Amino acid sequence: DAGVIQSPRHEVTEMGQEVTLRCKPISGHNSLFWYRQTMMRGLELLIYFNNNVPIDDSGMPEDRFSAKMPNASFSTLKIQPSEPRDSAVYFCASSLDRAKFFGPGTRLTVL
Amino acid sequence: GENVEQHPSTLSVQEGDSAVIKCTYSDSASNYFPWYKQELGKGPQLIIDIRSNVGEKKDQRIAVTLNKTAKHFSLHITETQPEDSAVYFCAASMRGAGSYQLTFGKGTKLSVIP
């Protein structure tokens, strides 16, 4: 298996632009998680889906962030409009039971 | 909610020595405790995990111990090698709606000196 796939790996954008991060979970996994990692706050859960349904989005910072999972093999995290404080590494992870497997992450820089 | 404290934040050991990283958690309902290794530029990689009905688990040079009464768990790496250098995260998890949610510690940067 290729593991969790994320794209792009790096994204540099200007403040105010829309950013879309993409994730393909491991085939057969039924839960998908979006995390954000910063030096100050560590790894934070933003939102997770179970069987393509959003279960808990209490970690989403504000309405500028939205996430979708239209099918079992694809999810997006969108930031609109982006701000410099959104700069971080965003990870997608998937799981079937307890064990969670992370993707390589997307390093987002908002100028 | 759950709160996980991890110590130390940085750890340097000589190659061949042992390394120990400790974590405490606050919610007695947590019942699953994974450890992740994160190398520079990569995502966290699951290296070992333990469930609350087990006190200790070992996998080659890595072992994890759990004390449910004291609500703390530890990672032990023996015969450390330079490739063990990375940031290690502990986490505590309990069953939520539909899945298990992880709360992570802040991480320990381990440096193994050749």
Side-chain angles (χ1 to χ4, degrees):
Chain A
D1 198 314
V4 176
I5 299 172
Q6 291 187 247
S7 65
R9 294 294 313 277
H10 302 274
E11 177 81 29
V12 180
T13 190
E14 292 188 346
M15 182 174 62
Q17 296 298 306
E18 177 179 296
V19 175
T20 299
L21 311 181
R22 298 173 175 79
C23 175
K24 177 180 170 54
I26 293 173
S27 177
H29 284 190
N30 61 357
S31 294
L32 183 140
F33 306 79
W34 283 101
Y35 288 87
R36 178 171 67 177
Q37 186 177 42
T38 61
M39 288 295 294
M40 291 298 295
R41 301 174 68 89
L43 274 162
E44 302 174 278
L45 177 66
L46 300 177
I47 185 171
Y48 80 94
F49 297 82
N50 185 250
N51 294 322
N52 312 338
V53 176
I55 302 298
D56 184 355
D57 65 354
S58 60
M60 297 284 259
E62 46 199 276
D63 292 345
R64 298 184 297 105
F65 286 69
S66 63
K68 294 182 179 179
M69 191 165 187
N71 57 63
S73 59
F74 183 67
S75 176
T76 59
L77 177 67
K78 186 177 293 186
I79 309 172
Q80 166 63 19
S82 58
E83 297 182 3
R85 60 194 168 116
D86 302 330
S87 297
V89 181
Y90 290 81
F91 289 104
C92 174
S94 70
S95 71
L96 181 57
D97 188 17
R98 290 177 169 87
K100 289 175 178 50
F101 298 89
F102 284 76
T106 295
R107 180 174 293 278
L108 173 64
T109 302
V110 183
L111 303 175
Chain B
E2 177 63 276
N3 182 50
V4 176
E5 298 286 339
Q6 182 172 348
H7 300 279
S9 56
T10 60
L11 178 61
S12 291
V13 299
Q14 291 288 333
E15 181 177 358
D17 288 350
S18 296
V20 180
I21 303 170
K22 298 182 179 181
C23 290
T24 60
Y25 62 100
S26 61
D27 196 329
S28 57
S30 289
N31 55 15
Y32 172 66
F33 306 91
W35 286 87
Y36 286 84
K37 174 184 181 182
Q38 187 175 23
E39 297 174 285
L40 197 62
K42 297 184 178 181
Q45 177 189 8
L46 179 66
I47 56 172
I48 194 168
D49 56 13
I50 191 168
R51 301 186 183 190
S52 59
N53 58 347
V54 175
E56 183 174 359
K57 184 177 178 181
K58 190 173 182 179
D59 182 4
Q60 299 181 341
R61 297 186 296 109
I62 295 174
V64 58
T65 58
L66 171 65
N67 183 326
K68 286 174 56 180
T69 303
K71 294 209 276 283
H72 66 70
F73 55 113
S74 301
L75 177 71
H76 304 252
I77 306 174
T78 58
E79 300 173 22
T80 54
Q81 301 167 4
E83 52 265 38
D84 295 329
S85 297
V87 179
Y88 291 81
F89 292 94
C90 64
S93 176
M94 68 182 78
R95 181 81 181 181
S99 185
Y100 288 85
Q101 302 181 53
L102 291 177
T103 301
F104 285 90
K106 295 295 186 186
T108 296
K109 183 176 181 180
L110 173 64
S111 300
V112 179
I113 304 165

